Amino acid sequence: RPPRSTLFPYTTLFRSEYLDEPSLELLILELQPNLYSISKNQFGTRSLQKIIDCIYQYDGLCETFITDGFMKISVTNIVDLINDINANHVIQKCIFKFKNFYYDFIINAMVTNNNIIKISKNKHGCCVLQKLLSNCNIQQIYKIMLKILEYDFDLINDQFGNYIVQFLLDVNTEIIITDGEFYDEGQKKNKMSLNLCYIIKFMELENLDLIKLSCLKFSSNVIEKLLITFFDKLNQYMKITKDVLIDRKSVVEGKRV
């Protein structure tokens, strides 16, 4: 059973504010076995958010809180927390305050089986996923993107899921993909923005019916944005290609002279 003080509206807000690091560690150890139930409680969720505000500056406490706390919670229950009206705020606080290498317990839950559907089509889960994508590194976004592509047709015309797909179309960070493997932007050859990579993979999906998707309420917005993004990228690459050809022509003519 969770400590009673974490479930009351006033003591929860002030208990951790003036604690030093050793005291915070003792508090975390006390709460760890009950993180799931505390997160879902309307007062407990405020306690955990306040505690996260206090511990995020201590790397050791962050690691203990995540590794010995949330990482011990089952994937099914993590999904439940993400979609819960109270607990989703705890997950979002973890995203906002902790470094992105602590996100694994969230990402692993999302990419397991078809959990991405349960999360993306839920009002609270959709919000958590958008915040996660906003703070992930590009490798983490790519991993989630591949899972979204598996269930794109389930998400693209959903009232919440379509926003996840549209979010990917805004990710303009450059990556390198070779034979399905991810490479970071440190390499110079064959660079491609992640949103263009997503568009190409989306267009390769089996049973893709652009006409049908263009006629549906939510997916029509996605297809419109997809086409705008694609042609914008196409114009950019054509301009770059044109500039390169002009430069090469100038060099050749200069040599002739």
Side-chain angles (χ1 to χ4, degrees):
R1 179 178 177 180
R4 293 188 65 193
S5 61
T6 63
L7 303 181
F8 286 91
Y10 299 109
T11 55
T12 60
L13 294 177
F14 303 108
R15 178 175 180 180
S16 61
E17 187 166 359
Y18 300 107
L19 297 180
D20 57 14
E21 185 175 358
S23 300
L24 285 169
E25 184 175 11
L26 291 175
L27 179 59
I28 291 172
L29 293 174
E30 180 184 5
L31 299 180
Q32 277 175 350
N34 302 291
L35 284 180
Y36 175 77
S37 57
I38 295 173
S39 297
K40 298 189 68 172
N41 180 273
Q42 63 174 321
F43 303 124
T45 182
R46 299 179 186 180
S47 292
L48 287 183
Q49 291 174 67
K50 191 67 177 179
I51 290 169
I52 292 169
D53 281 332
C54 294
I55 70 170
Y56 80 94
Q57 56 189 319
Y58 304 110
D59 290 339
L61 295 184
C62 293
E63 184 172 358
T64 300
F65 188 71
I66 297 298
T67 304
D68 298 330
F70 283 109
M71 291 293 286
K72 298 292 180 66
I73 299 175
S74 70
V75 165
T76 301
N77 284 343
I78 291 295
V79 173
D80 188 34
L81 293 180
I82 291 171
N83 289 342
D84 184 77
I85 189 172
N86 294 315
N88 83 87
H89 296 292
V90 174
I91 303 298
Q92 289 193 56
K93 183 66 76 169
C94 290
I95 294 170
F96 289 138
K97 289 295 185 178
F98 295 153
K99 297 173 183 176
N100 54 30
F101 55 77
Y102 289 121
Y103 298 168
D104 284 352
F105 77 96
I106 308 173
I107 296 173
N108 290 340
M110 289 183 171
V111 301
T112 299
N113 300 325
N114 67 341
N115 288 341
I116 197 72
I117 297 179
K118 300 175 185 176
I119 293 169
S120 299
K121 297 176 78 169
N122 178 274
K123 178 181 178 180
H124 306 297
C126 173
C127 186
V128 171
L129 181 48
Q130 289 183 74
K131 297 297 189 299
L132 179 69
L133 291 170
S134 296
N135 289 274
C136 279
N137 61 43
I138 193 64
Q139 292 94 335
Q140 292 169 325
I141 296 176
Y142 183 72
K143 182 177 181 179
I144 297 171
M145 183 196 80
L146 293 180
K147 179 55 67 170
I148 289 172
L149 280 163
E150 288 184 35
Y151 300 99
D152 237 331
F153 297 148
D154 293 293
L155 303 179
I156 193 171
N157 197 47
D158 180 76
Q159 61 176 327
F160 300 119
N162 81 91
Y163 290 111
I164 302 303
V165 179
Q166 291 194 55
F167 185 95
L168 290 176
L169 294 172
D170 287 327
V171 182
N172 201 37
T173 306
E174 289 189 324
I175 58 174
I176 296 176
I177 306 295
T178 304
D179 298 327
E181 295 296 325
F182 175 90
Y183 296 86
D184 63 29
E185 56 186 358
Q187 300 189 33
K188 298 298 183 183
K189 298 187 297 182
N190 303 319
K191 289 198 297 186
M192 179 188 301
S193 64
L194 187 134
N195 50 8
L196 182 57
C197 174
Y198 170 79
I199 292 172
I200 292 172
K201 289 180 178 295
F202 176 80
M203 298 301 291
E204 293 174 347
L205 293 175
E206 294 184 10
N207 303 317
L208 175 63
D209 189 340
L210 285 178
I211 295 177
K212 179 180 178 180
L213 293 174
S214 298
C215 295
L216 297 175
K217 181 177 181 180
F218 299 111
S219 59
S220 61
N221 296 323
V222 178
I223 299 304
E224 179 184 7
K225 187 167 186 175
L226 183 147
L227 292 174
I228 290 173
T229 303
F230 175 74
F231 284 109
D232 181 57
K233 285 294 176 186
L234 183 61
N235 287 333
Q236 290 179 31
Y237 286 120
M238 288 178 66
K239 184 179 184 305
I240 292 172
T241 302
K242 181 180 178 180
D243 291 342
V244 170
L245 291 176
I246 291 174
D247 289 342
R248 288 180 178 177
K249 183 178 179 181
S250 299
V251 171
V252 170
E253 291 177 349
K255 288 182 178 179
R256 289 176 180 173
V257 173

